[in-house]
Amino acid sequence: MRLTFILRTYVFMTIAMATGPVGAQDRADCLRKTSGPAVAHITYEFKTADGIEDRVVGSGFLIKSDGHILTAAHVLRPPSVYTSAVIDSRITVKVGSLFVTEVPATLITKQDDLDVALIKMPTMPQPWPTAQIDVTSGDHSKSWLYALGYPEGSDLTGGGPGRVTSNNAVISNKPTGWWQTDVALRPGMSGGPVFNQFGEVAGLAGAIRGGDGGTISYVIPITTAATLIPLAGLTDYAPSPCADDPLPFVTAFIKSAADNRFDPNSISVPLYQTILAQAPYAIFDQLGPIAKTEVADRRSIPQGTWFTIKATHEKGSVLWVIGYNRITNQVDSSVMTPQIQTAVPVCMPAVLKTFDVPDKSTLDGDGNVVGQLTAISGSLVQECVGPNNSPQYRFHLAYGYYNGSGTWRGDQSIVVNFKSAQGVSLLIKNFALDRSKCVYGEPEKRSGDSMLEGGLGNLVSEVSIEVSRVSGTQTGC
């Protein structure tokens, strides 16, 4: 089978269109409408030293409004059948349609070994339309793909949707770094944009190979042009309007999180740990169900989108600043800038949980009962401190103590074990038990407080209590 750069008209077999995700046709229509005006038809005319004159036609796309265009390098060189040196050449471009005025372009640079090139048209009073390129480093090899370009003899045409079938295509027994795909490319689309499901250019149309088994298409990953893109001075990032809107996903997460029933798989592991350790979900019991949500701010970055969302409950409101990672399809604060890297509601003082504990006997050093703890209860309290109104957690222990007519002098502790919902011990705190006097008649009411380090308050689901044996000597009252 022969590899064909998709520049001219060749006979090749029809291949089945790959099935895209739900809404694939809507996304394709959106890309034609929003990015189609930035797709260029490129003509490279040349004259060789032996007097031959010919032309190559292909496609490309504008990456900056001042006229910079990315394309494939093979669009800007004679086919391999010509061996004589090029003595004269020119590049002309039509943008958005074949039925517009032709504009001259100049070659900025090209890398034949990588098959990428950068050309430039004149800067115009009215900015040129552009296509947003994918500037992330994530693996989009399984991404939904859709191509736009100019098959020879046709106006702007789409190809796809399709998917990558191999991350590193092997051609002539050598790995190329290109993607092997099932996107329906046609001659003349070389150098044109291949979009991912985010509506951004993930690659350039490269070549096709036909045979008895059908046609295989190859896509040059956009990362291959990483050294050319900075030459255009490209600094702006504008998300494509053709990407899925993550807002419904994020608001659904907030509403389910308020009910303490979110799916851990919908969020990144670091954020999951942050929420378990810090987010004061018991506050929602006091605020009541969410009545409405509104987006106070929304900003997009290459990794995703971050939102500032005000959730209004029946008895108050909370503010969420939270991100959506488009690569992992998860809620993830790690895609945020450090200034907004928080995913917890505004802190409010509250008693988060209360615990009732069975009575406990206190034992002397010989294992004999020498006292009793009764009416034991614990309260997990959230307090808000500092200029950022950050939550911290305090455990309040209350109990009654009785040791009858005799006591052991010495040290003794009430040991409180704080456990997660899975029964895992998170933290152990010791409360000193004062044995300096005898307590007759009714139990004496006592209490103690201890801060819980590390923001573990919301991990605590249960507590258990043990009393250490007294160390010291037995003494009457």
Side-chain angles (χ1 to χ4, degrees):
M1 289 186 290
R2 183 166 62 92
L3 180 68
T4 304
F5 290 120
I6 42 180
L7 300 171
R8 297 169 174 272
T9 304
Y10 293 90
V11 177
F12 58 96
M13 296 180 64
T14 302
I15 62 174
M17 182 177 293
T19 302
V22 175
Q25 186 59 50
D26 291 339
R27 184 174 286 120
D29 292 342
C30 179
L31 286 169
R32 289 172 183 259
K33 180 179 179 181
T34 61
S35 295
V39 181
H41 177 273
I42 300 172
T43 301
Y44 171 72
E45 298 176 286
F46 62 93
K47 181 178 180 180
T48 65
D50 55 7
I52 295 176
E53 296 184 13
D54 203 347
R55 66 178 188 140
V56 173
V57 295
S59 303
F61 54 98
L62 280 132
I63 62 171
K64 196 176 180 186
S65 60
D66 64 356
H68 280 89
I69 295 174
L70 272 181
T71 186
H74 68 263
V75 174
L76 305 174
R77 66 175 181 245
S80 58
V81 295
Y82 298 113
T83 57
S84 183
V86 174
I87 60 173
D88 190 23
S89 66
R90 76 178 188 127
I91 304 169
T92 54
V93 177
K94 293 182 178 182
V95 178
S97 172
L98 290 179
F99 305 102
V100 297
T101 303
E102 195 172 63
V103 178
T106 57
L107 176 66
I108 302 299
T109 186
K110 65 187 177 85
Q111 294 179 309
D112 288 303
D113 56 333
L114 299 177
D115 203 10
V116 289
L118 182 67
I119 63 176
K120 187 181 184 304
M121 299 183 297
T123 301
M124 305 294 278
Q126 184 71 23
W128 292 104
T130 60
Q132 177 62 52
I133 62 175
D134 177 15
V135 296
T136 66
S137 58
D139 178 15
H140 302 308
S141 60
K142 295 181 174 59
S143 172
W144 176 94
L145 299 176
Y146 186 79
L148 285 174
Y150 295 89
E152 189 165 290
S154 300
D155 202 4
L156 184 66
T157 300
R163 292 191 180 275
V164 171
T165 55
S166 174
N167 293 328
N168 191 2
V170 176
I171 300 176
S172 300
N173 296 319
K174 295 181 180 179
T176 61
W178 290 9
W179 292 342
Q180 179 177 303
T181 80
D182 57 11
V183 178
L185 300 179
R186 293 166 56 190
M189 296 178 74
S190 270
V194 179
F195 298 88
N196 60 22
Q197 74 266 32
F198 308 119
E200 298 171 359
V201 181
L204 295 78
I208 58 174
R209 185 172 67 181
D212 294 339
T215 299
I216 298 173
S217 58
Y218 299 98
V219 172
I220 308 166
I222 192 66
T223 51
T224 304
T227 58
L228 272 60
I229 294 169
L231 298 178
L234 184 64
T235 57
D236 296 335
Y237 175 79
S240 168
C242 303
D244 291 333
D245 183 6
L247 180 59
F249 184 91
V250 173
T251 53
F253 163 77
I254 291 175
K255 290 179 179 179
S256 60
D259 295 333
N260 200 20
R261 56 176 178 81
F262 59 85
D263 177 8
N265 294 323
S266 68
I267 60 178
S268 67
V269 172
L271 180 56
Y272 183 47
Q273 294 170 342
T274 298
I275 287 175
L276 288 180
Q278 296 181 18
Y281 287 114
I283 174 182
F284 296 126
D285 294 335
Q286 303 171 28
L287 293 175
I290 293 178
K292 67 174 183 177
T293 58
E294 59 182 290
V295 181
D297 194 15
R298 170 179 178 156
R299 302 184 188 183
S300 293
I301 58 176
Q303 295 89 343
T305 309
W306 65 262
F307 300 88
T308 302
I309 297 177
K310 182 180 180 182
T312 303
H313 297 249
E314 291 180 350
K315 301 177 184 178
S317 63
V318 292
L319 195 68
W320 292 75
V321 182
I322 195 164
Y324 172 80
N325 188 319
R326 69 180 197 177
I327 305 300
T328 62
N329 193 33
Q330 292 180 322
V331 174
D332 182 3
S333 67
S334 66
V335 302
M336 303 302 96
T337 60
Q339 290 77 14
I340 54 171
Q341 205 163 45
T342 176
V344 299
V346 174
C347 179
M348 290 181 61
V351 176
L352 301 183
K353 297 181 179 73
T354 58
F355 308 93
D356 293 321
V357 181
D359 294 351
K360 288 288 182 181
S361 299
T362 66
L363 306 179
D364 63 19
D366 299 325
N368 302 311
V369 175
V370 290
Q372 190 79 10
L373 300 186
T374 63
I376 308 170
S377 66
S379 300
L380 186 60
V381 181
Q382 174 175 277
E383 299 170 341
C384 306
V385 298
N388 296 324
N389 203 34
S390 301
Q392 68 176 18
Y393 304 97
R394 174 172 55 86
F395 182 73
H396 178 76
L397 177 66
Y399 59 94
Y401 177 65
Y402 171 80
N403 65 358
S405 59
T407 187
W408 277 56
R409 310 298 184 193
D411 298 327
Q412 192 166 29
S413 298
I414 303 172
V415 182
V416 182
N417 190 352
F418 299 88
K419 299 179 180 179
S420 70
Q422 293 75 31
V424 177
S425 178
L426 303 171
L427 188 67
I428 292 177
K429 285 287 185 177
N430 293 321
F431 292 78
L433 180 59
D434 182 4
R435 303 189 55 85
S436 63
K437 63 179 180 178
C438 294
V439 179
Y440 296 97
E442 295 297 321
E444 181 179 76
K445 291 183 179 181
R446 297 184 177 182
S447 63
D449 291 85
S450 182
M451 303 306 297
L452 305 187
E453 299 88 352
L456 293 174
N458 274 282
L459 285 174
V460 177
S461 290
E462 61 175 299
V463 298
S464 62
I465 288 180
E466 300 293 337
V467 182
S468 67
R469 291 187 180 183
V470 65
S471 58
T473 59
Q474 187 174 14
T475 308
C477 293

